[in-house]
Amino acid sequence: MPEGDTVFRLATRLRAALDGRRVSRSQFRVPAHATADLTGRTVLAHDTHGKHLLTRFSGGVSLHTHLRMDGSWTVTRDGRRVPRRVLPDVRVLLATDDGRTAYGLNLPVVELVATTDEASVIGHLGPDPLRDDWDAAAAVARLRADPARAVSAALLDQRSIAGLGNLWANELCFLRGLDPATPIGDIDVPALVALAARALRHSATAPGAMQVTTGVRRRGEQHWVAGRAGRPCLRCGTVVRVTGERAAASGRRTWWCPSCQPPPRGVS
C-alpha cells in the first residue's frame, strides 16, 4: 500500500537514478501542464512529506506528485522503455542526458510549483516521522486536538501525523491493544506516536521490512490484522473482524481482533 514508508523508499530509488542529471526531454500528460517543458533543467533532489513526493529542478521548479492507490514511478535504462501496454498510463515522462527515462504512471496528482511555494501543496500536513524535522510533541498535540475522535480515524488524518495509511492505522491499534473506535483522548498518545515513528522508520529503512508488522515475511503472516478478516488472530486465535464503518469518516476498512483489542469503556 502506498504509505509514507513506500514513498520514502521510492524517493531513495529516484534519487539514485535521477539526481544530478540533466533533463533531455519531458512530457506532462495532464491538462494543467500539457505545455510545460523541463528540458535543460537539472534534477536537484527528491524529498518526501508523508505520502507526497517532491522532485526539485534547477531554476526553482518543483514537481509535486502523489501516488494515492494506483500511482507509481519506474525508471528505465538507456535504450529501454516501458511496455507499450502501459504507455496510456504515463502522466509524466522525464528523460535524462545519460539515457535513463523516468515514467510517472497513473499519478492522480501532478503539479508544477515554484520551489519557494511548496508549502502551497504540503503545508497542511502534520509532522512526518521520516523527515529530519520530525516533531513528536507537535504530532501528539495535533492528535489530542479532538479527544472524542476514534483513534483509527485520528491516525489517518494527515494533518495530525503525515505518512500513516490504513495499513499502519490498523496495525498500530493492534500493537497497542486498542479497539479502533477508542477515543484518542482516552489513550496514551505519546506512546502511540513513539511506536508509529519507530515502526514507520523501520519499515522504510530496514532491508526486507517494508510493511511487515509481525516480523514474519511469509505470505499471509506479514500483518497482525490488516487483510486478515475471518482468519484467526496470530496472537490469540480469535477470528479477526472487519468493517468499513469503525474508522469514522474515513470510508476505509478497519480490521481488529476483538480479544486483543477490547472495546472502549461503556461499549459492548
Side-chain angles (χ1 to χ4, degrees):
M1 298 180 183
E3 304 195 10
D5 46 2
T6 315
V7 180
F8 183 90
R9 286 206 180 185
L10 169 62
T12 300
R13 295 196 301 273
L14 293 176
R15 198 175 292 129
L18 302 177
D19 283 14
R21 294 173 173 84
R22 180 178 172 274
V23 178
S24 59
R25 182 168 65 99
S26 72
Q27 290 183 8
F28 290 89
R29 300 175 183 176
V30 294
H33 303 297
T35 61
D37 188 3
L38 298 181
T39 300
R41 297 180 187 268
T42 299
V43 183
L44 300 180
H46 284 84
D47 195 11
T48 64
H49 194 133
K51 305 175 187 181
H52 298 251
L53 174 67
L54 292 166
T55 305
R56 299 187 180 117
F57 300 85
S58 59
V61 175
S62 294
L63 170 62
H64 168 234
T65 56
H66 195 297
L67 305 182
R68 290 193 181 158
M69 291 303 295
D70 300 319
S72 65
W73 279 92
T74 188
V75 180
T76 59
R77 61 180 183 271
D78 190 12
R80 302 295 295 273
R81 60 186 295 179
V82 293
R84 184 181 299 273
R85 59 182 171 78
V86 305
L87 288 177
D89 299 329
V90 175
R91 301 294 176 266
V92 179
L93 181 152
L94 298 170
T96 60
D97 53 7
D98 67 347
R100 302 183 194 194
T101 304
Y103 298 88
L105 307 172
N106 288 320
L107 298 173
V109 176
V110 176
E111 297 178 294
L112 286 171
V113 300
T115 301
T116 54
D117 290 337
E118 287 179 354
S120 66
V121 292
I122 62 168
H124 64 288
L125 298 172
D128 178 353
L130 299 177
R131 290 179 57 85
D132 292 338
D133 58 2
W134 162 241
D135 188 337
V140 169
R142 290 185 180 215
L143 287 167
R144 283 175 167 168
D146 185 358
R149 196 175 195 186
V151 59
S152 55
L155 289 173
L156 288 170
D157 189 342
Q158 301 301 295
R159 297 168 298 179
S160 297
I161 181 170
L164 300 177
N166 205 39
L167 181 142
W168 280 113
N170 282 276
E171 294 296 285
L172 289 168
C173 284
F174 177 86
L175 290 168
R176 290 295 300 168
L178 300 170
D179 182 291
T182 304
I184 193 79
D186 291 349
I187 70 170
D188 186 341
V189 179
L192 178 63
V193 167
L195 176 62
R198 187 165 66 250
L200 205 63
R201 290 174 189 153
H202 181 72
S203 178
T205 61
M210 172 56 67
Q211 297 184 350
V212 176
T213 59
T214 61
V216 179
R217 296 170 61 185
R218 288 189 297 271
R219 185 178 179 85
E221 298 180 25
Q222 298 170 322
H223 307 136
W224 290 105
V225 289
R228 291 185 56 82
R231 301 177 66 186
C233 171
L234 293 172
R235 178 181 289 167
C236 73
T238 301
V239 174
V240 173
R241 296 182 184 177
V242 64
T243 179
E245 301 173 354
R246 292 172 73 82
S250 73
R252 303 185 186 186
R253 302 181 79 188
T254 300
W255 296 271
W256 81 104
C257 170
S259 294
C260 295
Q261 300 167 259
R265 294 190 299 271
V267 178
S268 58

